[in-house]
Every structure is written in structure tokens, then in C-alpha cells.
Amino acid sequence: MLNNYPLYIIIFDLIFGILFWAFIFKFFLHLFFTNQTKIKFVSNFFSLTDSIYEVINRIIPKFLPYPLISLYLCWLIFIIRFYILPTFTGFENIGNYVFYLEKSLIYYLNFKNLF
């Protein structure tokens, strides 16, 4: 499966795919926890993603409530992964070179491929 994709597409999509799922996970954690939670894993995860927020602070609108920032960033990452990634290989590949991370997970978790 790795031979179908150029290395720069794999690296690009893996980075943005991990950020995408981390921000979705953060949104769902915000439904149940605050930033001042006593649970160590959740507080460490919030501090890690907050450091990412500080790096990309310029593209975050100031009018967004804090818990919705992660959904906004997920939307931006989705647009980048779905529309901008295929432009590196040509617009005829708009459905082929997107969501490599998810395709790989489904491929390796498929039980038919284990036997």
C-alpha cells in the first residue's frame, strides 16, 4: 500500500491526519472536562494541543469560543487534506490521494488481509 503514494504525500497527510484526529478528540473531551481538570492524561493532552494553538494563533478567529476552536481547525485541516493535497499530483487524483492515514488504518485493521 505504501508504494501507491509518494513519500511527501504520506508525510503531509500523516501530520495533518494526526492533528485532525487530535482536535476532534479535544472537542469531545471539552464536552466532559474543563482545562483545569485533575485527570493527568486529559490535562496533559489539553496543554499539548494548547501549545499547537499558540503556534497557529494567527489563523484562529478571535470571535470563536474556546471549545469550538478545535472544530474550526478540523475543518481547515479537512479542506487542506481533501483539496490541496491532490493538487500536488494533479486534479484528476482528487479522490485517490486523500486520507492516507485512514486508508492505511482500515487496510491494516481489515481481518481479511491477515490471513
Side-chain angles (χ1 to χ4, degrees), residues 5-115:
Y5 299 96
L7 184 61
Y8 67 91
I9 289 179
I10 294 171
I11 293 171
F12 184 84
D13 192 64
L14 286 176
I15 290 169
F16 281 106
I18 291 169
L19 285 174
F20 179 82
W21 287 107
F23 290 142
I24 287 177
F25 186 60
K26 182 174 181 167
F27 173 75
F28 284 116
L29 283 177
H30 264 293
L31 295 176
F32 303 106
F33 301 105
T34 63
N35 279 353
Q36 292 80 23
T37 184
K38 301 284 187 210
I39 300 172
K40 198 69 163 164
F41 170 75
V42 176
S43 64
N44 288 340
F45 184 75
F46 282 164
S47 65
L48 176 71
T49 53
D50 286 342
S51 64
I52 296 171
Y53 282 3
E54 291 173 8
V55 171
I56 56 176
N57 193 23
R58 292 183 148 203
I59 64 170
I60 299 172
K62 302 297 182 217
F63 62 85
L64 279 177
Y66 181 74
L68 292 181
I69 291 174
S70 58
L71 280 183
Y72 171 75
L73 292 175
C74 285
W75 175 76
L76 283 180
I77 291 172
F78 174 79
I79 295 299
I80 290 170
R81 288 177 75 195
F82 193 79
Y83 290 110
I84 295 178
L85 186 63
T87 60
F88 295 132
T89 59
F91 287 110
E92 67 273 359
N93 297 322
I94 199 157
N96 296 329
Y97 290 108
V98 295
F99 307 127
Y100 176 78
L101 176 70
E102 290 81 0
K103 284 181 184 180
S104 297
L105 287 175
I106 290 171
Y107 178 78
Y108 290 118
L109 293 176
N110 189 358
F111 292 112
K112 293 178 187 176
N113 295 329
L114 294 177
F115 301 107

